[in-house]
Amino acid sequence: AEKERAEQLKTITDFVHDGIISIDEKERIVLINNNAKALFNLDDSNIGDRVQDVVPNTRLHEVLRTGQAQIGELQDIGKAKITTNRIPIVVDGKIKGVVATFNDVTELQRLERNIRIKLSKKGFLAKYSFDDIIYSSDLMERTIKRAKMYSPYDSPILIMGRTGVGKELFAQSIHNYSDRSSRPFVAINCAALPPSLIESELFGYVEGAFTGANRKGKAGLFELAHSGTIFLDEISELPLKLQGRLLRVLQEKEVMRIGDDKVIPIDVRIICATNRDLMKLVKEGKFREDLYYRINILSLRIPSLNERKEDIETLAKFFLKKYAEKYNKRIEEIDEDLLAYLRQYDYRGNVRELEGIIERAVVLATGRKLGLSNIKLSHRNTPVEGDKAREDKIFLVHEDLSLEELNKSYIRHVLEQNNGSVSETARVLGISRSTIWRKLKDDAN
């Protein structure tokens, strides 16, 4: 009968999902199931060994001494992260041993990640690779080489560059060149959302966390990016309150949803981007110094188009082919006068501005060659001074707009030139953030 009970116990413990280890009052192992053997590289010969000698970072002897159960404790075993429950065995009021159960969180996270991706209809994928970067210059060649060198490492990357240089293009390329390429790539523009929404988007929330919350709660972008990459564009626009919370996420590698009291372990590679001088913002008290140094482990500066004039003709011809095909136009070449003009042009909006110029020219063109007559610009490249004048000279003229439409169009233009930063757009235009939100809302309606 005793032998039968022992065999029943062994069968039960070996076929449960958890790993199980039990020790007696002398801290010696009396039971190990198959999952625990695999997790800790043990076998039946370890029965009778002191648990501290064969199980790394064990705390079973602490529970034996204190009699206090430990539930849901996180523990690192090699590259795996496990959750552990340690329960004292009490007989007639005396502690006779401790039993511990172990669950491999890494495997659970893998399953959860698959569920998250399937449940999310957004399909977080990086579309671009380094092969999609169009260039001819040695400067861009060196920049791409450095980005490739960074790609295999999980250290945070800060991508710096002016508006329109292609910071997200580089972020996606780094992700696709890394071991995380088959995993999610989740991007968020910190300037494109009102501050009240950024927190719930990044960290998620539980049921009833706030008025209007989804009845079933919502996973945050950090959760959805688990095992992949999260790209935080315009990191300078993240409110100070959330900067502190982001720092904790980076340090602890775990998030807590709004309204919850449980932490969720995450494995995410973070890439940030900015078109502003973060160190200057640190000195002005607008950006946390500790966060700056945490996200700037590896830095990558994307050169402006004005610094790599050799790329202009290559890019212009690429955009000509792209938009000629899109708009079904038989435009085969660019006039040399136009190429000369484009080479000396002062690109405040960088590659994005050049693309816009070529698209507009293709739309207006009637022949098979793109020329200067196809481009309508305002007083660009005239010697003017001051921030407001510099903003004015980059605006493309649309003669058929009403005054109200021109006003809204100009706000959208300045917003685009500042990469979606409402704060910076309000500063440039000398109006309030609420005015910008109202104008854009009216425009959407």
Side-chain angles (χ1 to χ4, degrees):
E2 189 67 29
K3 184 178 179 181
E4 183 179 337
R5 282 194 295 271
E7 192 60 33
Q8 285 178 341
L9 179 61
K10 184 177 185 302
T11 302
I12 292 170
T13 57
D14 280 342
F15 285 92
V16 296
H17 186 267
D18 293 356
I20 300 174
I21 293 180
S22 181
I23 63 171
D24 60 18
E25 66 266 35
K26 295 181 180 179
E27 303 177 2
R28 298 194 179 278
I29 297 174
V30 295
L31 183 147
I32 323 171
N33 76 341
N34 286 339
N35 284 336
K37 290 174 186 175
L39 191 59
F40 298 105
N41 195 26
L42 303 175
D43 55 42
D44 288 335
S45 67
N46 294 113
I47 292 178
D49 291 343
R50 291 179 72 250
V51 69
Q52 298 97 310
D53 297 336
V54 294
V55 178
N57 305 319
T58 185
R59 294 169 63 185
L60 287 174
H61 57 291
E62 293 181 9
V63 178
L64 187 65
R65 186 179 69 253
T66 64
Q68 298 294 316
Q70 298 176 354
I71 306 296
E73 298 284 331
L74 287 176
Q75 185 177 354
D76 291 318
I77 303 296
K79 293 185 177 181
K81 186 179 287 289
I82 64 174
T83 180
T84 306
N85 299 316
R86 307 178 184 96
I87 310 294
I89 301 171
V90 180
V91 179
D92 294 332
K94 294 182 180 180
I95 301 173
K96 293 295 184 177
V98 179
V99 63
T101 61
F102 308 91
N103 214 315
D104 189 347
V105 177
T106 309
E107 176 64 14
L108 291 176
Q109 287 178 334
R110 185 187 68 80
L111 296 173
E112 286 179 8
R113 177 179 59 81
N114 292 336
I115 293 171
R116 289 168 186 166
I117 294 174
K118 289 177 182 178
L119 290 177
S120 172
K121 298 179 181 178
K122 297 178 181 178
F124 297 116
L125 298 173
K127 298 182 292 184
Y128 301 108
S129 68
F130 288 115
D131 293 336
D132 295 307
I133 300 176
I134 309 301
Y135 69 97
S136 301
S137 64
D138 292 338
L139 183 55
M140 279 299 284
E141 177 73 33
R142 293 195 297 272
T143 305
I144 291 172
K145 185 176 180 180
R146 171 166 289 203
K148 287 182 176 179
M149 183 176 66
Y150 289 166
S151 297
Y153 302 99
D154 284 340
S155 303
I157 297 177
L158 178 61
I159 300 178
M160 297 167 287
R162 294 177 180 245
T163 296
V165 295
K167 295 187 286 293
E168 182 166 353
L169 176 60
F170 268 84
Q172 291 194 24
S173 300
I174 289 170
H175 171 80
N176 278 332
Y177 202 73
S178 73
D179 293 338
R180 297 175 181 261
S181 59
S182 61
R183 310 299 175 84
F185 177 87
V186 179
I188 183 172
N189 189 318
C190 298
L193 290 174
S196 58
L197 293 181
I198 295 178
E199 185 174 17
S200 61
E201 285 295 314
L202 285 178
F203 307 114
Y205 54 83
V206 296
E207 178 184 355
F210 51 85
T211 303
N214 188 299
R215 187 169 56 85
K216 295 181 180 180
K218 180 182 177 183
L221 294 180
F222 272 100
E223 287 183 65
L224 294 172
H226 177 67
S227 79
T229 301
I230 189 166
F231 175 57
L232 301 179
D233 199 5
E234 286 311 293
I235 187 69
S236 61
E237 301 303 307
L238 195 67
L240 275 171
K241 172 191 170 186
L242 296 187
Q243 290 178 25
R245 188 162 181 188
L246 174 60
L247 180 63
R248 287 194 297 274
V249 170
L250 295 177
Q251 290 174 335
E252 304 299 331
K253 298 186 185 304
E254 57 189 27
V255 295
M256 183 184 295
R257 294 186 184 184
I258 298 173
D260 205 354
D261 58 357
K262 298 190 295 291
V263 296
I264 302 170
I266 56 167
D267 170 25
V268 174
R269 199 258 184 93
I270 184 169
I271 301 177
C272 299
T274 183
N275 63 358
R276 302 184 67 184
D277 184 346
L278 288 186
M279 182 49 73
K280 181 181 177 183
L281 295 179
V282 168
K283 293 176 180 178
E284 294 173 354
K286 297 177 181 177
F287 198 84
R288 289 182 62 126
E289 185 174 14
D290 46 7
L291 178 59
Y292 171 75
Y293 288 116
R294 191 70 186 83
I295 64 174
N296 194 23
I297 304 298
L298 301 174
S299 59
L300 183 70
R301 180 182 172 274
I302 313 300
S304 66
L305 192 54
N306 291 329
E307 298 175 77
R308 46 188 179 100
K309 295 286 189 178
E310 311 96 290
D311 292 337
I312 291 173
E313 182 175 345
T314 305
L315 285 163
K317 290 180 177 178
F318 172 80
F319 292 136
L320 169 62
K321 185 175 184 295
K322 173 182 176 180
Y323 288 107
E325 290 177 357
K326 179 177 179 180
Y327 298 122
N328 196 27
K329 294 217 171 184
R330 291 187 174 182
I331 308 172
E332 299 169 353
E333 58 181 312
I334 302 177
D335 186 89
E336 189 55 43
D337 289 341
L338 176 55
L339 284 176
Y341 178 81
L342 293 175
R343 290 190 195 101
Q344 61 82 40
Y345 192 81
D346 179 22
Y347 293 93
R348 175 74 181 262
N350 291 287
V351 178
R352 187 182 298 144
E353 184 176 4
L354 174 60
E355 181 175 5
I357 290 172
I358 298 299
E359 181 179 7
R360 179 181 176 84
V362 169
V363 169
L364 296 175
T366 55
R368 294 200 173 188
K369 181 181 286 191
L370 219 56
L372 272 173
S373 61
N374 302 127
I375 297 179
K376 292 184 178 180
L377 297 173
S378 63
H379 48 290
R380 281 288 268 121
N381 294 321
T382 53
V384 291
E385 299 297 331
D387 287 343
K388 185 65 168 63
R390 282 195 293 272
E391 290 296 337
D392 283 344
K393 71 176 183 175
I394 65 173
F395 183 58
L396 303 183
V397 172
H398 297 265
E399 295 87 346
D400 56 343
L401 296 181
S402 68
L403 184 59
E404 179 63 21
E405 289 170 333
L406 186 64
N407 185 15
K408 292 177 182 178
S409 182
Y410 187 54
I411 289 175
R412 289 197 304 273
H413 171 74
V414 177
L415 189 65
E416 181 180 344
Q417 294 302 311
N418 287 286
N419 214 25
S421 171
V422 176
S423 298
E424 186 63 17
T425 300
R427 185 191 68 78
V428 169
L429 297 178
I431 60 179
S432 67
R433 287 167 56 99
S434 60
T435 298
I436 294 176
W437 286 117
R438 188 180 69 255
K439 291 282 187 183
L440 295 179
K441 183 179 179 181
D442 290 345
D443 194 29
N445 292 336

